[in-house]
Amino acid sequence: MTATIYKNYPQGEMTITDFLLGQYYLYGDSLNAQEWNMENDSTKMVLGHECQKATCCFRGRQWTAWFALDVPVSDGPWKFCGLPGLIMEVYDRGKQYYFCINGMQQVSAKTITFEVQDKEFKRFQKTTRKDFLQLKYKYLKNRNSINEASTGISLGGSDEALKYDLIEKE
């Protein structure tokens, strides 16, 4: 993944930056979009923490998450958040997408800032989430033709069937 996700910027939303075809993109998304169903009787250990199971349907996929109540951070990997503890592991039904924590460390309290007007972010083209996903799908569907057109080198293969399943299935 080339995306960087800034949660709670602006307040109550997310800002995502991503890279595709030599261009940097920036778009907004909603925060806390998952509606979790917690399963109190299902637990397992992840990285030495007892975790509780929760499930949800998000962006066309069924997800299972394992969160640690003893880590009181309502956050997780990628766009996941909204549970009463840190999401330590989350995966979709077929485990095509799988996120699992591999460590934690205490860091000093330092404010993280993100300013779209900063000179560093002037290179980003503003778009919408759906437009970016459509562009990414078109690129993946036609990547052999695009690579050949831009480099003059044929990598072989066909653009007929897209065998890549985007994480957001909209």
Side-chain angles (χ1 to χ4, degrees):
M1 296 181 86
T2 57
T4 301
I5 299 168
Y6 299 89
K7 293 181 181 176
N8 213 26
Y9 178 83
Q11 191 71 25
E13 297 180 26
M14 285 188 272
T15 297
I16 295 89
T17 62
D18 211 334
F19 183 80
L20 183 64
L21 287 171
Q23 174 65 51
Y24 292 92
Y25 292 91
L26 179 142
Y27 61 91
D29 201 354
S30 57
L31 186 63
N32 293 327
Q34 299 93 27
E35 292 185 24
W36 295 102
N37 298 309
M38 291 191 268
E39 299 182 18
N40 297 329
D41 57 341
S42 295
T43 62
K44 77 178 206 175
M45 298 298 286
V46 178
L47 200 64
H49 296 269
E50 184 175 16
C51 295
Q52 185 177 327
K53 183 178 181 181
T55 59
C56 75
C57 181
F58 181 64
R59 303 272 164 85
R61 292 185 184 277
Q62 296 293 324
W63 295 91
T64 299
W66 296 92
F67 65 98
L69 286 167
D70 65 332
V71 183
V73 176
S74 182
D75 206 353
W78 189 52
K79 296 181 179 182
F80 295 108
C81 56
L83 286 166
L86 182 63
I87 299 171
M88 308 286 272
E89 182 178 5
V90 62
Y91 47 86
D92 71 329
R93 183 181 309 175
K95 290 193 178 178
Q96 290 175 292
Y97 291 93
Y98 178 86
F99 302 93
C100 187
I101 192 167
N102 62 14
M104 284 192 288
Q105 65 183 17
Q106 182 70 38
V107 295
S108 63
K110 180 181 175 187
T111 303
I112 298 171
T113 59
F114 175 84
E115 180 58 53
V116 177
Q117 302 305 318
D118 188 295
K119 64 180 179 178
E120 177 70 17
F121 292 100
K122 289 191 189 278
R123 66 182 181 206
F124 288 87
Q125 179 177 327
K126 290 185 180 181
T127 188
T128 66
R129 182 181 66 83
K130 286 193 177 188
D131 285 348
F132 180 78
L133 292 176
Q134 287 174 348
L135 182 64
K136 191 170 188 176
Y137 179 83
K138 286 177 186 175
Y139 164 71
L140 290 169
K141 185 176 180 185
N142 300 301
R143 65 180 171 243
N144 291 331
S145 298
I146 292 168
N147 288 334
E148 186 173 351
S150 63
T151 65
I153 301 169
S154 175
L155 300 175
S158 167
D159 289 330
E160 291 177 17
L162 177 63
K163 293 183 173 60
Y164 187 82
D165 193 7
L166 295 174
I167 194 167
E168 297 182 70
K169 296 178 112 181
E170 296 177 308

